[in-house]
Amino acid sequence: MGIAEDLLRQADHLATYEGSNPSQASLRRAVSTAYYALFHLLVEAAALRWSGSPEAQTGVERGFQHGVMKSISIQFQKQTWHDWHGNQQPIPPAIRKVASAFVDLQDERHAADYDNHELWTMLDVQEILDLTRAAFQDWYAIRTDPMAGNYLLAMMLSKQRS
Amino acid sequence: MTATIPTQEQVDRIARELAPDVVRIRLAVKPDWTDDLSLYFRVTLSDEASRREPLRQVTGLVRAKVAEELRLEDLDMHPYFRFRTQSEQAKLQDPQWA
């Protein structure tokens, strides 16, 4: 079991271990952890496609930048994507859902970590965790599709040749 | 026809159509953390709707209805959705959700 699954379980734990009246700190940490669960799911998937040494795989994982991943995920929410040859290719619905969840979770994580005025509730966080779990399931269903590889590669590269 | 930035009036109409599960939806148009102008929908659900399992059946319906009615796919702005219950909002008295 990878760190992504561990983080998802930890997010669940943080949201529920205090019962029906969780602290804002726990809810915030749950949201932040949920984002990092999906983040690691994707960067681990990219590293696994790299057949180099474990050190090189770590290098691949470190090549990802949050802002770039967001802007590419915005592109992959749409129905089609211009591939590396400039041809328009349909994006499978599961990848579009993962990309959309990634954008959502990243913004939630930013609010949870940096916006002290934002208040969180059990339902907020439960919905965010549901969204994360659904993104995991969608990813597992689609991860061998060639478009999943394109999504990961595009997120790793800061620029796409036109 | 090009989709335009939605108004609170349009969002109120959708909320009424989604009643009694949805109590209200508040729209804010503001930059997200990367400064991209975005749509924030704060959805207050009835306590009864929030207890329904799975929760995503309710929240997914709200997301889909808002996206379809406001033609969000045609807009170059990402929609963010947040959900809370009527009881939670009553306790917090958060003006952004009122």
Side-chain angles (χ1 to χ4, degrees), chain A residues 70 96 104 107-108 121 124, chain B residues 32 34 36 40 78 83:
Chain A
K70 180 216 168 187
R96 296 176 63 199
D104 288 347
D107 198 67
E108 299 285 17
T121 70
D124 272 340
Chain B
D32 67 7
T34 55
D36 291 331
Y40 287 82
H78 185 79
F83 295 87

Side-chain angles (χ1 to χ4, degrees), chain A residues 5-149:
Chain A
E5 291 277 358
D6 285 347
L7 286 168
L8 185 54
R9 270 199 305 276
Q10 189 177 50
D12 263 326
H13 174 71
L14 286 164
T16 56
Y17 85 101
E18 289 173 315
S20 60
N21 194 22
S23 64
Q24 285 292 308
S26 293
L27 293 175
R28 285 172 184 274
R29 293 313 306 148
V31 171
S32 183
T33 305
Y35 166 68
Y36 278 105
L38 184 57
F39 172 85
H40 280 284
L41 185 73
L42 297 176
V43 301
E44 280 175 2
L48 284 172
R49 286 166 185 252
W50 185 263
S51 59
S53 64
E55 292 81 10
Q57 289 186 343
T58 301
V60 169
E61 290 179 10
R62 287 184 184 166
F64 283 89
Q65 295 172 43
H66 298 279
V68 174
M69 292 175 79
K70 180 216 168 187
S71 60
I72 295 297
S73 292
I74 295 257
Q75 292 176 30
F76 275 78
Q77 287 178 82
K78 300 183 192 305
Q79 297 198 355
T80 59
W81 174 71
H82 283 97
D83 70 15
W84 309 103
H85 294 160
N87 301 317
Q88 216 168 37
Q89 301 283 352
I91 302 174
I95 291 179
R96 296 176 63 199
K97 286 195 263 183
V98 171
S100 176
F102 186 85
V103 177
D104 288 347
L105 289 170
Q106 193 180 80
D107 198 67
E108 299 285 17
R109 177 255 156 182
H110 202 265
D113 284 353
Y114 301 115
D115 186 349
N116 290 336
H117 298 291
E118 193 75 46
L119 295 170
W120 301 86
T121 70
M122 286 283 279
L123 192 80
D124 272 340
V125 178
Q126 190 187 342
E127 211 270 332
I128 287 165
L129 293 174
D130 282 353
L131 182 71
T132 314
R133 280 189 284 267
F136 269 60
Q137 284 168 10
D138 284 326
W139 180 254
Y140 289 142
I142 201 69
R143 61 185 167 182
T144 57
D145 188 283
M147 191 56 78

Side-chain angles (χ1 to χ4, degrees), chain B residues 6-94:
Chain B
T7 63
Q8 183 61 54
E9 287 71 28
Q10 287 175 289
V11 173
D12 287 343
R13 183 179 50 75
I14 297 167
R16 280 195 296 274
E17 288 173 16
L18 290 167
D21 288 352
V22 169
V23 176
R24 76 179 73 82
I25 305 175
R26 286 289 170 257
L27 168 67
V29 182
K30 60 177 189 174
D32 67 7
W33 83 274
T34 55
D35 272 343
D36 291 331
L37 198 60
S38 305
L39 303 171
Y40 287 82
F41 296 96
R42 294 186 171 90
V43 183
T44 305
L45 296 177
S46 70
D47 292 348
E48 192 185 324
S50 69
R51 281 192 289 268
R52 214 168 293 150
E53 292 285 343
L55 178 62
R56 279 195 70 75
Q57 213 165 47
V58 180
T59 59
L61 182 74
V62 174
R63 285 172 187 265
K65 173 91 174 164
V66 170
E68 187 190 338
E69 296 276 327
L70 301 177
R71 301 171 57 216
L72 297 183
E73 263 204 21
D74 298 342
L75 276 174
D76 209 15
M77 299 166 85
H78 185 79
Y80 294 100
F81 288 84
R82 292 276 299 277
F83 295 87
R84 69 176 48 160
T85 68
Q86 203 169 6
S87 302
E88 288 173 336
Q89 169 58 12
K91 194 173 161 188
L92 294 172
Q93 293 291 315
D94 188 339

